Amino acid sequence: MVDQRRSGGTGAAGDRGGQNAPEHFLVVFPGYHRPWANWIAQRLETHGHRVTLQRWDPPREVPLEEALGDLLLSTGRVLLVLNDWFFELGPRAPGEWNDVLRGYVADQAERFAAVNLTNRQLPPATAVLEPVSLWGTGEDEAEERLLGRLGIEYRRGAGRRSPAISSRFPNTPPEIWGEVPRRNGRFTGRDDLLTELQSRLTEAERGNSACTLLGMSGIGKTQIAAEYAHRFSTDYDVIWWVNSDDRNIQRDRFGELAAELGLHSGSEPGERIRAVRDALRRGEPYSRWLVIFDGWDDTEGANVLLPHGPGHTIVTSRNRGWGDHTDVLEVPSFDRAESTAYLMRRAPHITSAQADEVAAEFSDVPLPLVQAASWLGESRMEVPEYLRMVREGRLSSVDEPVGDGFPHSSLTSWSILINRRTQPQAVEVLSLCASFAPGRIPLGLARAYPQADLPEDLRWMSTDLPAWTRALDTLVNYSVLTRESRGPVNTEMGPHQETVHMHRLVHDIVSRLTNDEHRDAHRKAVRTLLAEADPGNPLDSRQWPQYAELLPHLEPSGALSSRNSRVQAAVLNCLRYCVRSGEFTAGTRLAEKIRNYWTTFMDPLDQQMIDLTTQQTNLLLAAGSNREAYELGRTLRDRLRAAQPRDELGELSVNSGLAGSLRRLGRYDEALELQRQVLENAERLLGGNELISLSARHNLGVGLRLLGRYREAYELDQETLSRRESVLRARHITTLNSGNAIAHGLRLLGLYRDAVARQEPVVRLHVQILGPLHPQTLSARKQLALARRREGGFPQDIGMLMDSLMDQMEQVQGRTHYTTLSFINDYGNYQREHGDLARAKDLIAEAEAGYRALLGPAHPVATGMLANTGLVMQAAGDRGEAMSMFESALAGLTATLGADHPWVLGCALNASGGRNFNGRVADAADLSRDTLRRSRQVLGDEHPLTLSCQTALAGDLRALREHEEADKVEADALLTLTRTLGAQHPHTLSARQRNRPYWDFEAYLG
């Protein structure tokens, strides 16, 4: 491949003239050293010379003298970029190189020059090239040596690199380098594929440079991505590697980039992810970034994690669905020349014909070829003997296909290693790895917890460090495992923190070949280690990365079916981690798996099962699966009631979840009665200031608020806040939540300015303590946005705030989550009020459909959404359909909530307006008069809804020509509005202009 560069001078090619006359150089390099070739070209161009880059890997069949002769067809001099790898291209025997160097190259010595990038021994005849060593030098010294070798005058500081030139000095690493696998010194071929990948990324539309390396397992996708990161590292300031075969680890790993970028974000994964994506999108503080998601086979979450912006993204996957999200580059098997070249370099004792036979045996698939080459190279076994062992199929009991097009013969290849007696400790480590999940394995746990009850054959791991190191080195040399770092970036890790990576197919094959007796013992050891590694506090967000690392290994190790109480406690803590960190989908799946295992051997009333039900209920409610949560709790409650003796604490825990389920199902009266019982029992059994009791008191306020008893709820919330501040202090997460409840209550009571004043410091504390994207912080910010809207702030500012907040809620919790639907509804109401009717219609329709699907059409919230749909229709001029919607909402909510609920009063206000606009003035006046009476009784004379009802009644009376009463009612309303909300508040101005008041519905599930 030839890479033409623009001329840096005007002199004729090949005319060296004076010492610094422009000259042409052909820089010849193996693809492995592209960064050096780019840097050399830049330095020469800066000094006025022309450069052409040529990646060089001539086929083995082409005589070396002929290949070098082709280089001399270029004008000017040929600069060879050498290291020991250069002389293995082909590969060719060292003797062939020495012969050509002594003969042909020596005869053309004035046309050749060379730089040397290694301190390893090169063929002796390389001396004819007089290579200058750049190994281990700094940039200035390397440039001086390069120019000196080429006879170009060097002046320190002259010709400094322009900021527009992208590539750094190769020995200068990127500013941020995040756990990219070590460079494979034996990486073979794939040069055209890597060049194509670079072209696709650099030529893509700005902001959408993402490409998926697609192929079957074992095809080499990970190795290609890692080589790309190393080969093109000088083009980036940030390179971040994200292991993606487990969703929790993926999210945590991607979120860790926030700290490296110096971003201020909270501890929640969603907060950090949002901050990282926003920084990458803006290109601040770095615009030249590369993020690699390795092993991302499930496209779920692509819209939440996949970054956009000026940098580049690479995904490795087996899933063709990535074509909907990124460009896709198919990764084929090696071509035969790549296969044989790799085998011959790794096992120099084999011939080209033997290499061809081995390559054919494994269908040129890279992973089994790597294993074969490793085995042949390490053992020095002859190819006929090796192939005989493979083809005999000694493991006849393993005859099912491995899948994914992976050669079945590789099973026997693995059996050779596992059955080899000379490396028993390496085999024990390999067997232990098979009891973890594939992918990233925290193998250092075996050394970190020597007190764990390990089987006798594994105890050496925690006591014999040299044997541990030898075993791992053996497995790495045989290409079975790769080492990874674990812990903070750029921090030296000890053996107890060692993390390795095992390919999914390697894991599958080793699992099939492992002795059943050993497998059971090793799985027990792994789950014991996982239990020992449990940090013990899933409520502490600082421990969440460790829980994310433990989570994928629970099921493969048998921890979910363990009868050991210590292991069961660790499993429950992992489940609590899912609840607290917002991993609701993963947590729901895990809870269901735990239940399936535990019900086979555990009594439904055991404490562990009660704890499981509590956490599973929390997860189901958080995910919006309200009916499932209710049925789960109801079944356990019935069993607890029938049991003797009674487990009052168990009943307390289950009833708390049941009350929450009833609230979500719209059964507000039942929920309130049960919540009162929960609070009473919590205070009786535990005392009034325990966490459970304070939570029960808070939830009672939620129940009162849902029933429209706003004053009672507010007073109870004040008492709860006071207790929490006294017992837990002001910065506790539940204390902050009480602050949210106070601001919510003030707004519902119509005290808008007080709500804003109260909520502003609460939001600041949320952001400071939990981060801007914690779900509770999002709720706090929503409360502030709604309070500012009701206060009558600047519409444009509020609109920008709501638009940004809605996007963030979608990113953190998804578009169809009930909290996002609530804010979509709120934003639709704002858009309708401020002129974007088309967008309002779309948003309200989306929220209404979402709530109907989630809650069912008869739920009070789904019914209340009809009021907002009616307001959109009315604004669009469809008054008849609007009135129908208003009447339906009024009838539905009256039937479920009673005539005095504030939601019903709001629907009645809208229905009276609909009747008025449709000519039913007398009916409108009757409804307005009755609604005003009820609102005064429920909310008070000065509540904004009461005053809106009063203004509406005045309009109806005026339409009936009862002007005297109308004027009196209107004047009284205007006076009170001016006194309570202010003369310039939108409500006051609207009433003065005699605009018909309305009420928009805020969806609230509690």
Side-chain angles (χ1 to χ4, degrees):
M1 184 200 78
V2 178
D3 182 3
Q4 296 289 346
R5 283 181 170 266
R6 185 179 302 169
S7 174
T10 58
D15 179 13
R16 298 180 63 180
Q19 185 182 41
N20 290 316
E23 188 177 355
H24 175 257
F25 293 94
L26 178 69
V27 178
V28 179
F29 64 97
Y32 194 82
H33 281 310
R34 177 178 291 276
W36 277 102
N38 285 338
W39 179 82
I40 289 169
Q42 287 175 356
R43 302 321 307 139
L44 293 176
E45 287 176 344
T46 299
H47 286 269
H49 301 280
R50 292 190 307 115
V51 178
T52 301
L53 296 179
Q54 181 159 327
R55 174 170 49 82
W56 198 60
D57 187 6
R60 191 173 61 252
E61 296 75 19
V62 176
L64 189 55
E65 184 173 319
E66 181 180 332
L68 288 168
D70 289 343
L71 298 178
L72 295 183
L73 295 176
S74 168
T75 60
R77 282 187 287 172
V78 176
L79 178 64
L80 303 180
V81 181
L82 304 180
N83 72 338
D84 48 335
W85 181 261
F86 189 94
F87 297 102
E88 291 183 10
L89 294 173
R92 300 174 187 273
E96 183 180 357
W97 267 107
N98 280 325
D99 291 343
V100 173
L101 288 168
R102 292 188 184 109
Y104 181 80
V105 173
D107 293 340
Q108 307 288 336
E110 76 284 353
R111 295 288 308 280
F112 287 100
V115 296
N116 179 18
L117 303 179
T118 182
N119 65 342
R120 296 191 184 95
Q121 184 177 356
L122 300 180
T126 306
V128 71
L129 295 169
E130 300 180 13
V132 61
S133 175
L134 304 185
W135 184 82
T137 61
E139 183 169 12
D140 289 338
E141 183 180 355
E143 182 176 356
E144 184 175 3
R145 291 186 181 187
L146 167 68
L147 297 179
R149 172 62 182 87
L150 299 176
I152 300 171
E153 181 182 356
Y154 172 74
R155 288 171 296 162
R156 186 174 298 274
R160 287 296 86 194
R161 183 168 65 242
S162 165
I165 298 177
S166 60
S167 292
R168 289 184 312 277
F169 182 58
N171 285 347
T172 303
E175 293 291 325
I176 297 174
W177 179 260
E179 291 194 18
V180 179
R182 296 177 186 177
R183 194 170 195 183
N184 182 357
R186 301 186 177 100
F187 186 87
T188 292
R190 303 297 202 183
D191 284 337
D192 291 338
L193 192 66
L194 287 162
T195 302
E196 173 68 13
L197 177 59
Q198 185 205 32
S199 297
R200 294 200 185 191
L201 290 173
T202 55
E203 295 172 8
E205 178 184 355
R206 180 180 172 87
N208 292 291
S209 293
C211 187
T212 296
L213 295 172
L214 181 69
M216 70 180 188
S217 293
I219 205 67
K221 303 181 293 295
T222 298
Q223 287 293 323
I224 293 169
E227 175 61 22
Y228 181 92
H230 287 278
R231 184 170 297 192
F232 296 98
S233 63
T234 54
D235 296 338
Y236 299 98
D237 297 315
V238 176
I239 300 181
W240 196 254
W241 187 276
V242 181
N243 289 312
S244 302
D245 40 14
D246 178 85
R247 182 172 181 269
N248 294 297
I249 291 177
Q250 177 195 43
R251 285 169 55 82
D252 278 333
R253 177 63 190 150
F254 185 58
E256 287 171 7
L257 182 53
E260 297 298 317
L261 293 174
L263 306 179
H264 298 291
S265 64
S267 57
E268 297 281 352
E271 302 161 23
R272 297 195 299 265
I273 288 167
R274 172 69 184 179
V276 169
R277 291 186 80 218
D278 187 55
L280 297 181
R281 177 184 57 79
R282 292 183 286 106
E284 297 175 0
Y286 302 101
S287 61
R288 304 192 316 163
W289 50 262
L290 171 66
V291 178
I292 300 172
F293 295 94
D294 183 41
W296 195 354
D297 288 331
D298 186 354
T299 60
E300 180 184 353
N303 293 330
V304 175
L305 285 182
L306 203 64
H308 300 278
H312 299 160
T313 304
I314 296 173
V315 176
T316 73
S317 182
R318 297 172 295 153
N319 187 347
R320 292 190 174 275
W322 277 105
D324 297 334
H325 304 277
T326 69
D327 190 11
V328 170
L329 181 59
E330 297 262 3
V331 178
S333 296
F334 276 153
D335 62 37
R336 185 53 54 85
E338 289 174 325
S339 298
T340 56
Y342 182 81
L343 286 162
M344 293 174 69
R345 274 197 291 270
R346 192 75 190 269
H349 67 287
I350 71 175
T351 66
S352 59
Q354 290 172 333
D356 188 82
E357 191 175 5
V358 174
E361 184 69 28
F362 294 105
S363 306
D364 295 299
V365 177
L367 181 60
L369 277 175
V370 167
Q371 316 303 334
S374 300
W375 178 263
L376 290 167
E378 291 290 327
S379 68
R380 307 291 296 177
M381 183 180 287
E382 294 299 327
V383 168
E385 173 65 11
Y386 174 76
L387 288 178
R388 181 183 65 79
M389 294 176 69
V390 170
R391 289 166 180 167
E392 281 178 355
R394 296 178 180 178
L395 298 175
S396 57
S397 61
V398 184
D399 51 17
E400 69 267 28
V402 177
D404 246 0
F406 200 78
H408 183 273
S409 53
S410 61
L411 281 169
T412 306
S413 173
W414 281 103
S415 72
I416 298 171
L417 174 61
I418 291 178
N419 292 327
R420 195 181 188 202
R421 302 303 179 205
T422 57
Q423 298 285 351
Q425 290 174 322
V427 173
E428 286 164 5
V429 172
L430 186 62
S431 177
L432 184 66
C433 287
S435 296
F436 287 91
R440 187 183 179 102
I441 297 174
L443 192 58
L445 294 179
R447 291 194 56 79
Y449 299 102
Q451 72 274 22
D453 185 19
L454 297 178
E456 187 173 350
D457 63 323
L458 299 183
R459 289 174 189 165
W460 63 269
M461 292 184 183
S462 61
T463 58
D464 191 343
L465 180 58
W468 168 268
T469 303
R470 283 195 304 272
L472 280 184
D473 287 345
T474 296
L475 294 172
V476 170
N477 290 339
Y478 277 94
S479 300
V480 181
L481 303 175
T482 55
R483 278 190 169 98
E484 293 186 350
S485 61
R486 177 171 175 245
V489 180
N490 298 327
T491 301
E492 190 68 28
M493 297 291 105
H496 64 289
Q497 295 170 302
E498 190 118 33
T499 300
V500 299
H501 189 277
M502 177 181 270
H503 191 281
R504 184 184 65 84
L505 274 176
V506 176
H507 184 277
D508 181 49
I509 293 169
V510 172
S511 297
R512 299 181 190 210
L513 302 178
T514 304
N515 178 278
D516 286 343
E517 181 181 346
H518 276 161
R519 185 187 302 116
D520 290 342
H522 291 178
R523 291 178 78 215
K524 180 180 179 181
V526 168
R527 56 183 178 261
T528 300
L529 291 170
L530 295 176
E532 291 290 340
D534 173 14
N537 187 6
L539 304 185
D540 185 349
S541 60
R542 293 169 298 181
Q543 307 296 340
W544 290 350
Q546 191 165 348
Y547 278 110
E549 190 164 39
L550 300 179
L551 202 63
H553 304 292
L554 295 178
E555 188 170 20
S557 68
L560 303 188
S561 58
S562 174
R563 302 189 181 209
N564 182 291
S565 59
R566 178 70 185 85
V567 175
Q568 290 170 358
V571 168
L572 284 172
N573 276 341
C574 286
L575 195 60
R576 292 185 181 99
Y577 149 75
C578 292
V579 175
R580 298 300 299 176
S581 67
E583 294 292 343
F584 303 138
T585 302
T588 301
R589 292 173 183 162
L590 176 62
E592 188 59 33
K593 288 179 180 178
I594 297 170
R595 183 168 295 278
N596 289 339
Y597 282 112
W598 285 7
T599 51
T600 62
F601 63 85
M602 197 178 290
D603 189 286
L605 302 185
D606 282 353
Q607 185 59 51
Q608 293 93 326
M609 287 294 286
I610 295 173
D611 290 344
L612 171 61
T613 298
T614 299
Q615 300 308 320
Q616 192 169 8
T617 299
N618 290 335
L619 285 161
L620 289 169
L621 290 175
S625 301
N626 307 317
R627 175 60 61 180
E628 293 176 57
Y630 172 74
E631 294 298 337
L632 184 67
R634 185 182 60 81
T635 300
L636 183 54
R637 180 199 61 187
D638 293 345
R639 284 176 170 162
L640 284 167
R641 283 179 174 177
Q644 291 297 332
R646 287 184 62 187
D647 180 357
E648 290 193 278
L649 284 175
E651 287 188 44
L652 175 65
S653 175
V654 173
N655 283 334
S656 179
L658 265 178
S661 301
L662 289 168
R663 286 194 294 271
R664 291 291 180 80
L665 292 172
R667 294 160 61 176
Y668 301 144
D669 289 312
E670 293 178 69
L672 185 69
E673 180 58 31
L674 183 56
Q675 189 64 54
R676 287 193 189 280
Q677 295 176 23
V678 169
L679 176 57
E680 178 185 332
N681 290 331
E683 292 184 336
R684 176 174 57 84
L685 295 170
L686 303 171
N689 290 333
E690 290 297 316
L691 271 173
I692 293 176
S693 302
L694 293 172
S695 178
R697 181 174 295 276
H698 173 87
N699 288 332
L700 183 60
V702 173
L704 289 168
R705 204 155 39 245
L706 284 166
L707 280 168
R709 294 159 65 173
Y710 298 151
R711 176 60 61 181
E712 291 178 70
Y714 175 71
E715 291 172 354
L716 184 62
D717 287 333
Q718 283 187 308
E719 182 182 350
T720 306
L721 174 63
S722 177
R723 291 194 183 200
R724 281 177 164 170
E725 286 178 334
S726 174
V727 176
L728 304 172
R729 300 295 183 251
R731 298 169 67 87
H732 194 276
I733 185 172
T734 60
T735 307
L736 295 177
N737 202 28
S738 285
N740 282 339
I742 293 292
H744 192 182
L746 288 168
R747 180 167 56 81
L748 293 177
L749 290 169
L751 303 172
Y752 302 145
R753 280 175 293 193
D754 291 346
V756 171
R758 182 67 181 79
Q759 190 65 357
E760 283 177 341
V762 170
V763 168
R764 286 195 293 271
L765 270 178
H766 271 84
V767 173
Q768 179 185 353
I769 296 167
L770 300 179
L773 298 180
H774 187 287
Q776 188 172 302
T777 305
L778 291 175
S779 177
R781 293 168 63 198
K782 170 189 170 180
Q783 290 296 338
L784 180 57
L786 295 182
R788 283 177 174 165
R789 180 190 168 210
R790 297 298 183 196
E791 183 194 28
F794 293 105
Q796 186 176 5
D797 293 344
I798 295 170
M800 293 174 61
L801 172 64
M802 295 183 78
D803 185 67
S804 172
L805 185 52
M806 189 176 77
D807 180 54
Q808 292 170 4
M809 293 182 105
E810 179 184 356
Q811 294 292 338
V812 172
Q813 299 185 340
R815 188 83 179 180
T816 60
H817 193 269
Y818 66 89
T819 56
T820 310
L821 289 174
S822 175
F823 200 70
I824 289 173
N825 171 62
D826 296 327
Y827 193 37
N829 287 332
Y830 167 85
Q831 290 292 345
R832 185 208 68 249
E833 192 172 67
H834 293 283
D836 194 340
L837 192 58
R839 189 170 188 196
K841 180 179 179 181
D842 291 341
L843 292 169
I844 295 298
E846 180 183 357
E848 181 185 349
Y851 276 124
R852 282 178 173 270
L854 183 67
L855 306 173
H859 192 284
V861 168
T863 305
M865 286 299 303
L866 298 176
N868 293 336
T869 302
L871 289 173
V872 171
M873 291 178 172
Q874 184 166 275
D878 193 350
R879 293 181 170 181
E881 285 297 319
M883 185 177 70
S884 176
M885 287 291 172
F886 296 148
E887 297 287 1
S888 295
L890 176 59
L893 287 180
T894 301
T896 56
L897 301 178
D900 292 335
H901 193 289
W903 291 358
V904 176
L905 299 175
C907 287
L909 174 66
N910 292 339
S912 71
R915 294 177 185 181
N916 184 301
F917 290 144
N918 283 276
R920 296 171 51 187
V921 180
D923 290 342
D926 289 342
L927 182 57
S928 292
R929 198 180 296 276
D930 182 66
T931 305
L932 175 59
R933 178 181 59 82
R934 293 179 184 277
S935 187
R936 282 172 169 164
Q937 291 175 346
V938 173
L939 299 172
D941 293 343
E942 297 184 351
H943 192 280
L945 179 56
T946 302
L947 297 173
S948 291
C949 293
Q950 192 170 342
T951 303
L953 177 59
D956 293 333
L957 292 171
R958 190 171 290 105
L960 291 172
R961 291 182 167 75
E962 298 180 16
H963 295 292
E964 184 177 351
E965 184 181 0
D967 290 345
K968 183 179 181 304
V969 170
E970 181 183 70
D972 181 60
L974 281 170
L975 182 64
T976 308
L977 281 168
T978 302
R979 178 166 50 80
T980 56
L981 297 181
Q984 298 303 312
H985 191 279
H987 285 4
T988 308
L989 296 174
S990 181
R992 186 172 290 117
Q993 294 163 7
R994 293 182 174 174
N995 295 321
R996 185 78 188 194
Y998 57 83
W999 172 83
D1000 51 37
F1001 175 70
E1002 291 179 8
Y1004 175 58
L1005 285 178

